[in-house]
Amino acid sequence: VDLGPTSTKVPPFGELRTWDTSTLTNGIYSLRVVAAETIGRTRDSWSNNKIRVEVVNIDPQASSVEYTYPANNQENIALNSPAIIRFSDKINPNTLTPSSVRLYDGINYITGLVSYNDFSRSVIFTPDEKLSSYKDYVVFVDADIQNIYGISLGKEYMFKFKTTSYI
């Protein structure tokens, strides 16, 4: 299979070259590298050592919610707690909007800031004001949030919690 060169220019030392392997089945392949030196000689890996390459094509799936804080139906949550939603994949932050995570105290929408932590793959909703004591809250996570592969969550996610009286 000839995947073709990525460039005819000499890459800087240590730079990686990549090829689109989506048309290949997973497996072990031999890679032939032919390089031309500046004085006109060529070096061919085929005549010396064959380079073996493992091709593993990832089939991206929709992300899922791995963890929430508070946990679903958790009680005694502090009044200044954020809602944290950790995903199975990194999220495309460009798909997050102020309404990607919505918090309600039954019927009233609670305003707040939606942010993203790439390292922990977590979306965080921080309420603008402290929550009310001993109240039930519901968090909705929008189905349109996409992972870095461009695949949306697919369905809305919801979890509930109840506050306590302390901060």
Side-chain angles (χ1 to χ4, degrees):
V1 177
D2 183 4
L3 298 175
T6 59
S7 175
T8 56
K9 296 180 180 179
V10 177
F13 180 75
E15 183 177 309
L16 298 175
R17 290 291 181 203
T18 60
W19 292 269
D20 178 7
T21 62
S22 61
T23 59
L24 299 177
T25 58
N26 293 346
I28 305 292
Y29 293 84
S30 294
L31 176 68
R32 182 179 188 181
V33 177
V34 178
E37 294 180 346
T38 56
I39 58 174
R41 293 185 307 194
T42 60
R43 301 283 182 199
D44 189 339
S45 67
W46 215 252
S47 60
N48 299 325
N49 298 319
K50 292 182 180 177
I51 301 169
R52 295 178 58 85
V53 176
E54 182 175 6
V55 173
V56 180
N57 289 306
I58 298 171
D59 182 18
Q61 308 263 333
S63 293
S64 60
V65 173
E66 283 187 336
Y67 164 88
T68 64
Y69 177 82
N72 190 33
N73 294 319
Q74 188 172 351
E75 296 185 355
N76 299 318
I77 301 303
L79 305 179
N80 61 348
S81 292
I84 301 171
I85 304 97
R86 185 173 64 215
F87 292 90
S88 57
D89 295 298
K90 289 188 175 189
I91 296 301
N92 177 349
N94 295 326
T95 64
L96 294 175
T97 67
S99 62
S100 292
V101 178
R102 298 173 316 282
L103 177 64
Y104 292 89
D105 68 355
I107 56 170
N108 298 310
Y109 172 72
I110 308 301
T111 60
L113 174 69
V114 175
S115 60
Y116 178 64
N117 181 306
D118 191 57
F119 179 75
S120 66
R121 304 182 319 272
S122 298
V123 174
I124 301 104
F125 178 85
T126 306
D128 289 336
E129 297 179 14
K130 73 176 187 163
L131 303 176
S132 298
S133 298
Y134 304 110
K135 194 137 185 139
D136 292 317
Y137 287 90
V138 180
V139 178
F140 292 95
V141 181
D142 193 70
D144 293 332
I145 296 174
Q146 293 181 4
N147 61 21
I148 58 173
Y149 306 110
I151 302 171
S152 67
L153 192 56
K155 61 183 177 181
E156 188 172 66
Y157 187 87
M158 182 213 52
F159 62 100
K160 304 179 225 176
F161 65 92
K162 186 172 188 168
T163 56
T164 187
S165 62
Y166 61 85
I167 295 179

